[in-house]
Every structure is written in C-alpha cells, then in structure tokens.
Amino acid sequence: MNILIWNVHGPWTTAFVTGRHRYLLPTLSGRGPWGQGRPTTWEWPADAIEVTPERLADTDVDVVVVQRLEEIALTARWLRRTPGRGVAAVYLEHTAPRGPAATSRHPMADRDDLTLVHVTAFNALMWDAGRTPTAVVEPGIADPGHRYTGELPAAAVVVNEPLRRHRITGTDLLPGLSRAAPLDVFGAGTGGLGERLGCETRIRGLGALPPQRMHAELARRRIYLHPARWTSLDLALIEAMQLGMPVVALATTEAPAAVAPAAGLCATDPGRLTRALAELVADPERARAHGAAARAHALRRYGLRRFLRDWDVLLERVVADHRSRRPRVDRRRDTHLRVVRPAVEPRR
C-alpha cells in the first residue's frame, strides 16, 4: 500500500513507517512544517520515501493520513485528488480538545467520506465527532530495551516548551514536587527552567537530546515523573516504562489507563505524588520492582507489533470502503451517490 503522510510527530511517525508499506513523505526545498521529509535524528527504513509536490500528482497513492487541517488543501493541490472523495483518507487526531472538553466539536465532525482516528480512548470520548466514523489505535513504539539503572536519586521529566505551556504540562507543580526529589527536565525549551521557577538547585533544564542518548539518560534517573494536566498520551511516558522506570504520574487524560497500578503511582493529589517521589528515591529496590512491572505492562499494551497490526486492519478497511463507495454519476439527475459506512474498530 502507498501511504501519503507528513512527518508531524517524530516519535509516532518513526513507529508508523516501520510497517510493511511504502510511505510517501512530502518534501520541500526549504523543508519547514509542510515538507520536512525524512528526519535527521531518527533512523527510518528505506520504504519511507521523500516525494516533491511536483511528483505527487503522478504518484499512485492508496490512502492519505491527514494530521492537520491544512494538509487537506495541500493534498488536493499536490495530489489533485480531494482526501476522502478522490482518495481514501483518515484524519489522525493526536490531541485532546483544548476547549470545553465534553462539548468541543472536532473539525472533521459529521463527515461520511473519511475515518477519524484517535490515539487514545480518552480523546475519542472527549471530542464530539458527530456521525463521522471513528476508531482508536493506541500508540506503539519499538522496545528501547530494559536499560534502567536508577543510579541517580532524581526524577526525570520530559516536556517540550514547559514555560510557554505551563499549566497544561503541569510546570507550576514542579517546584512543589522538587522538594521530594531533584527534577531533571528534558525537552525543547527547558534551558534555564530551574532559574525561571526559582528552584535552580532542585530543577535542572537539560534540553532536547537525540533519542538514543535520551533513553540512556532517562534510565539513569530513579523515577519518571509525568505531571501533565491536559496532554494526550506522551510517547516519552511509554518509552520510560519500557526502559524499566517506575512512574509517578498525574491521573489526568489517558494516564490512569496507561500506567498500571504496579508501575508506581497515578493520582490527582500533588501531595500524594510528592510523597511517592520521596519514598521511591529513598528505596531503590522498591523503585526497581515498580519499574519491572511498568516495563511488562508497556510491552504488552504499547508494543510495536500490536500498533502496526491495528493500523493494517484499519487502513485495509478504509481503502476497501473507499473503493466500494466511489461517487458514481446518476445520469438522470447528475448527482453523486455515496454510501455511509459504520465506524471501524481496530482489532486488539
């Protein structure tokens, strides 16, 4: 199958392109958000191919995976086929709604020509999609290996732009949590974070690291801390669990489903999180036991094989449904007749 997809979320796309298909990545001379092509920091297979807009019009595409609204117009212009009508399409939603959670209408609501795919059941629950067919395919990652040492009595946090995103990522909670354990914060925009929060001796911003180095550094910390209030399921959380790290997490969005009880603690009370951090820092053997449970759970639920299988099932159904309901001309009235298909649920 030939799949047109933009490189939007690097870790997610890295897992997706390891499947058995051919992945076409729009590429512009200046790169940028609409034509990044292949990344320079990840090792991708040869079947992930860079394609210029000029070549796309003459390229056979079976399905397009849309992740941003602007990609619909770009696909129509570059491929000369409208997603959902001229070519099979899914709209992949990575995030939870930012507006009123229970009443936010998704931009793809009430469409019968594509499938809306969510990365978590929580996101699917909160977005109002109307009658648009929906599916949930949970993330999956390649196993980074059981690399946990926990040699440093500190908690690791991974977050991008913590000062700009602030309450969304739980940045305001970090000073209080740092009283229980030093916090080493990785990710873009973390430089000078401790100084900005008035905790320069307890919070260190260590910046963004290449994946392999990031895994090694995370595994040296005793605990993984996930303080986000309102994000989707961060792949860094899954990576930390597969590395064998125990987890202390704020129980919001998908985190309660993602973090098994034996993996550490998932709670909405910052006081409980603070106490858990202190206890695990002081008890390396207990931390190691929680980390082993976290790894076993994450491998079962968020393994790469399951992820790719679920996407294969979904995309095969979407392409088959598109081919069976291509608009056909009613010569009497010159109108387009379409068949509305039910929602597709991937296999578990």
Side-chain angles (χ1 to χ4, degrees), residues 112-185:
D112 62 15
D113 58 349
L114 53 74
T115 297
L116 176 59
V117 184
H118 295 281
V119 297
T120 71
F122 180 89
N123 291 358
L125 175 70
M126 289 300 170
W127 277 112
D128 177 6
R131 58 188 176 86
T132 302
T134 61
V136 175
V137 180
E138 292 185 332
I141 63 170
D143 179 13
H146 191 177
R147 303 172 66 178
Y148 178 71
T149 66
E151 64 201 74
L152 300 180
V157 183
V158 177
V159 59
N160 290 322
E161 304 295 338
L163 291 170
R164 178 180 62 82
R165 299 165 71 194
H166 199 59
R167 283 182 60 86
I168 290 174
T169 54
T171 305
D172 59 305
L173 301 175
L174 297 183
L177 292 166
S178 72
R179 290 197 290 267
L183 305 182
D184 289 341
V185 185

Side-chain angles (χ1 to χ4, degrees), residues 75-115:
T75 300
R77 187 193 319 161
W78 294 347
L79 200 60
R80 298 177 188 168
R81 284 181 281 166
T82 302
R85 299 184 184 276
V87 60
V90 301
Y91 191 103
L92 175 61
E93 180 55 73
H94 289 276
T95 65
R98 288 292 177 84
T103 58
S104 289
R105 292 276 288 177
H106 196 276
M108 296 295 107
D110 291 328
R111 293 187 61 147
D112 62 15
D113 58 349
L114 53 74
T115 297

Side-chain angles (χ1 to χ4, degrees), residues 126-336:
M126 289 300 170
W127 277 112
D128 177 6
R131 58 188 176 86
T132 302
T134 61
V136 175
V137 180
E138 292 185 332
I141 63 170
D143 179 13
H146 191 177
R147 303 172 66 178
Y148 178 71
T149 66
E151 64 201 74
L152 300 180
V157 183
V158 177
V159 59
N160 290 322
E161 304 295 338
L163 291 170
R164 178 180 62 82
R165 299 165 71 194
H166 199 59
R167 283 182 60 86
I168 290 174
T169 54
T171 305
D172 59 305
L173 301 175
L174 297 183
L177 292 166
S178 72
R179 290 197 290 267
L183 305 182
D184 289 341
V185 185
F186 299 88
T190 59
L193 180 62
E195 291 82 355
R196 294 288 298 274
L197 296 177
C199 303
E200 57 271 19
T201 63
R202 303 292 293 175
I203 299 175
R204 295 194 304 168
L206 299 177
L209 301 178
Q212 288 295 326
R213 186 178 167 199
M214 174 76 81
H215 294 158
E217 290 298 326
L218 290 179
R220 297 179 64 209
R221 274 70 185 176
R222 192 155 299 163
I223 310 157
Y224 186 81
L225 173 63
H226 180 71
R229 275 191 181 86
W230 194 256
T231 66
S232 194
L233 182 55
D234 288 341
L235 294 188
L237 172 62
I238 299 174
E239 290 173 342
M241 290 192 292
Q242 290 196 2
L243 287 166
M245 299 185 71
V247 173
V248 172
L250 201 62
T252 56
T253 62
E254 189 73 3
V259 179
L265 177 69
C266 194
T268 54
D269 180 1
R272 290 185 64 195
L273 302 185
T274 302
R275 291 191 293 274
L277 284 174
E279 291 169 2
L280 290 174
V281 163
D283 192 342
E285 289 307 311
R286 181 182 169 194
R288 186 176 298 277
H290 283 308
R295 173 171 166 78
H297 170 74
L299 288 174
R300 284 194 303 270
R301 182 158 185 170
Y302 301 110
L304 187 61
R305 181 178 298 180
R306 190 276 310 158
F307 170 74
L308 295 173
R309 182 184 67 243
D310 286 356
W311 269 105
D312 280 349
V313 171
L314 175 63
L315 291 175
E316 287 167 6
R317 284 290 304 273
V318 167
V319 171
D321 283 355
H322 175 77
R323 288 172 178 168
S324 71
R325 61 176 169 79
R326 279 178 177 167
R328 57 186 184 274
V329 176
D330 183 335
R331 298 183 184 277
R332 294 170 299 176
R333 296 188 299 165
D334 197 27
T335 59
H336 292 288

